[in-house]
Amino acid sequence: MPAALGFATIVVLLLLTMTKRASVLVALILLPVLAALIGGFAGDLGELILGGLSKVAPTGIMIAFAVLYFSLMVDAGLFDPLIRGLLRVARGDPLRITVATAVLTLCVALDGDGASTFLITVSALLPVYKRLGMNPLVLSGVVCLGAGVMNMVPWGGPTVRAMAALKLDSSEVFNPVLPAMGFGVAWVLVASYLLGRRERKRLAALPPQGPATDVREGEDGRGDPEPAASTTVTATTEPESSRHATATADGERQALRAPGDGPGTVRVPPLPRTWLTVFNLLLTVALVVCLIQEVMPLPVLFVLGFAIALLVNHPTWEQQQALLDKHARSVVLVTTMIFAAGVLTGILTGTRMIDEMAETLVSVVPDSFGSHLPVVVAVTGMPLSLVFTPDAYYFGVLPVLTETAQGFGTDPAEVARAAILGQMTTGFPLSPLTASTFILVGMSGVSLGEHQRFIFRWAFATTLVMTAGALLTGAFPL
């Protein structure tokens, strides 16, 4: 009964969100609550939900202040040189921008932390995508592919869990699949090239309307996977006064403040504040280094970093309040999703639905698959990221699978290697069970369902390519 309720909850959740029958926020909260009531856990419901919320609270705090921090830095122009450099190198070519996105993600994701990878890459690149009128789903998708492959590193969550669950070391689990990981990196670059070429063709087919300033496809959950020409807003369609009075959506600075506010007042650009840019750069570099070195917990680092940046960049109370008002919507959208995900994981874990699901999954594996279990684990790992949390899979499913494989003479290390080719590696940036997924989609301005539909087949192909690479290099047998 608990296993059936758990599987039903996940399936209905995916169906509702991918078909846009309900918002992700509502589905994440009400579906598990309904499952708990049906399962007879009404008396423990409050404790279960509170337990789930407590576990995601540090992530929610971190993302709230991280969004504020990077939004402040974007407003301050910290990423303007990077944007100009990318545009200059890419020469306005969406294909080059897409490949550059993959390369940047692969580099930043070396720390094995998906949340920080998404925060840094999306903050830096989203203004570029807006300026060129590119589909933000391409951004979230390519970042998803790069971060997924790099999550296989020995200090990444899935590999650490696999080694801990089976009492193995990195030389037994990670080193043999390193060549397969190289196959995955190569595929990410190929996939980014193909996505970029498709985006280039889409933009070339649009009627010339001047430089596009915003493509927010998927932001409100009503758009098609590919934004239509009508969603492109151009500066030439706005009245002159409107362009000066409001902030543009292409990542440029807000309109220059005038010395007077009467009609026809001459706009005077502010004096350059080089020292402030240097300070922001040093603060951001120091923050990133502290994140990688884990000097303090991530929430604490972002709380302190934002407070310092806010005081230096906006010293008056009025300026600080204006910045908070400006970015409050982004903070609320992302953090509410994270806490809603906490409700889901709290109920599924606390009621042991996840444990029962793991046992049921293992019980339905045919004995004939025993000798081929590593391949089966590798191929199914990525889709199962949408169903199982990393702890449930690596500490619940994987040990039972390895015991089954041992009965057929298969080394447990081979099963572990197969698992990290997809389970919460290539699959984690699509899973509603990981908080960092909502950081990616929230900051990119796309909905979870659209993101999943857009990139799932590409992410699954990454797992298939790495599985083929593992077979060719002997990481595990066919």
Side-chain angles (χ1 to χ4, degrees):
M1 177 67 170
L5 279 174
F7 281 116
T9 301
I10 297 297
V11 170
V12 174
L13 171 66
L14 294 175
L15 287 176
L16 288 178
T17 56
M18 295 184 73
T19 59
K20 303 179 184 177
R21 300 290 182 182
S23 72
V24 177
L25 180 68
V26 171
L28 285 172
I29 296 174
L30 294 186
L31 283 177
V33 169
L34 180 61
L37 293 176
I38 295 174
F41 299 100
D44 301 322
L45 193 57
E47 184 179 348
L48 295 173
I49 293 176
L50 187 59
L53 291 175
S54 299
K55 288 185 178 180
V56 300
T59 302
I61 296 169
M62 179 202 70
I63 187 57
F65 284 91
V67 169
L68 289 172
Y69 179 87
F70 285 108
S71 297
L72 185 156
M73 291 302 168
V74 170
D75 289 349
L78 177 64
F79 298 108
D80 284 359
L82 174 63
I83 295 169
R84 288 194 297 267
L86 282 174
L87 291 174
R88 184 166 54 250
V89 172
R91 300 171 187 170
D93 185 359
L95 189 154
R96 296 189 183 189
I97 291 294
T98 308
V99 175
T101 301
V103 173
L104 179 62
T105 303
L106 291 169
C107 295
V108 175
L110 275 170
D111 67 348
D113 181 29
S116 61
T117 298
F118 299 152
L119 288 168
I120 294 170
T121 54
V122 176
S123 296
L125 294 173
L126 184 59
V128 178
Y129 277 69
K130 288 183 177 180
R131 186 168 300 184
L132 294 179
M134 294 177 64
N135 187 350
L137 283 171
V138 176
L139 172 60
S140 65
V142 173
V143 171
C144 163
L145 296 178
V149 170
M150 298 309 294
N151 208 36
M152 289 174 57
V153 293
W155 49 90
T159 306
V160 168
R161 287 179 174 89
M163 292 188 295
L166 303 181
K167 297 180 176 57
L168 302 170
D169 58 40
S170 61
S171 63
E172 297 174 283
V173 177
F174 176 73
N175 291 3
V177 296
L178 188 57
M181 184 178 176
F183 278 77
V185 170
W187 165 251
V188 169
L189 296 176
V190 170
S192 65
Y193 174 86
L194 296 174
L195 288 170
R197 187 174 64 176
R198 187 172 72 179
E199 187 67 3
R200 176 203 278 171
K201 291 180 180 178
R202 184 190 69 83
L203 292 174
L206 296 178
Q209 299 180 8
T213 63
D214 194 15
V215 177
R216 300 291 290 181
E217 192 280 333
E219 182 179 30
D220 59 1
R222 296 189 298 268
D224 295 322
E226 295 289 335
S230 60
T231 64
T232 304
V233 182
T234 62
T236 57
T237 62
E238 297 178 346
E240 184 70 20
S241 60
S242 173
R243 293 205 302 271
H244 285 306
T246 60
T248 60
D250 62 354
E252 294 179 353
R253 311 270 190 86
Q254 285 191 344
L256 303 175
R257 187 180 298 276
D261 57 1
T265 301
V266 177
R267 302 288 167 172
V268 179
L271 295 176
R273 303 169 69 185
T274 306
W275 70 269
L276 188 57
T277 301
V278 172
F279 172 82
N280 288 335
L281 178 61
L282 293 176
L283 178 62
T284 302
V285 170
L287 178 60
V288 172
V289 170
C290 290
L291 290 174
I292 296 173
Q293 297 295 326
E294 298 182 354
V295 175
M296 293 183 184
L298 282 115
V300 175
L301 288 173
F302 275 111
V303 167
L304 295 177
F306 173 68
I308 295 171
L310 183 63
L311 179 63
V312 174
N313 286 267
H314 303 279
T316 68
W317 180 87
E318 291 80 8
Q319 292 174 336
Q320 295 170 5
Q321 192 63 33
L323 182 130
L324 293 174
D325 290 341
K326 178 181 179 182
H327 298 294
R329 178 179 179 273
S330 299
V331 173
V332 169
L333 286 175
V334 179
T335 53
T336 52
M337 290 293 183
I338 290 173
F339 285 113
V343 175
L344 173 68
T345 56
I347 290 177
L348 292 182
T349 303
T351 59
R352 298 187 60 80
M353 289 185 195
I354 284 284
D355 297 331
E356 295 289 338
M357 292 163 65
E359 294 177 7
T360 301
L361 177 68
V362 173
S363 67
V364 300
V365 176
D367 291 341
S368 58
F369 282 7
S371 58
H372 307 290
L373 207 52
V375 176
V376 175
V377 170
V379 173
T380 60
M382 184 268 167
L384 288 178
S385 298
L386 304 178
V387 180
F388 293 104
T389 64
D391 287 338
Y393 186 89
Y394 284 101
F395 294 114
V397 176
L398 187 61
V400 181
L401 289 175
T402 56
E403 288 182 12
T404 304
Q406 276 185 297
F408 293 90
T410 302
D411 187 350
E414 294 177 351
V415 182
R417 295 167 199 160
I420 65 172
L421 295 181
Q423 220 294 325
M424 282 300 171
T425 49
T426 58
F428 94 91
L430 295 94
S431 175
L433 303 177
T434 55
S436 56
T437 300
F438 296 100
I439 298 175
L440 174 61
V441 298
M443 295 193 68
S444 301
V446 300
S447 71
L448 176 63
E450 287 165 336
H451 170 66
Q452 290 172 329
R453 290 199 305 272
F454 182 84
I455 206 63
F456 180 90
R457 61 185 180 274
W458 297 92
F460 188 47
T462 307
T463 290
L464 295 180
V465 167
M466 290 196 294
T467 300
L471 291 171
L472 289 173
T473 56
F476 51 78
L478 181 61

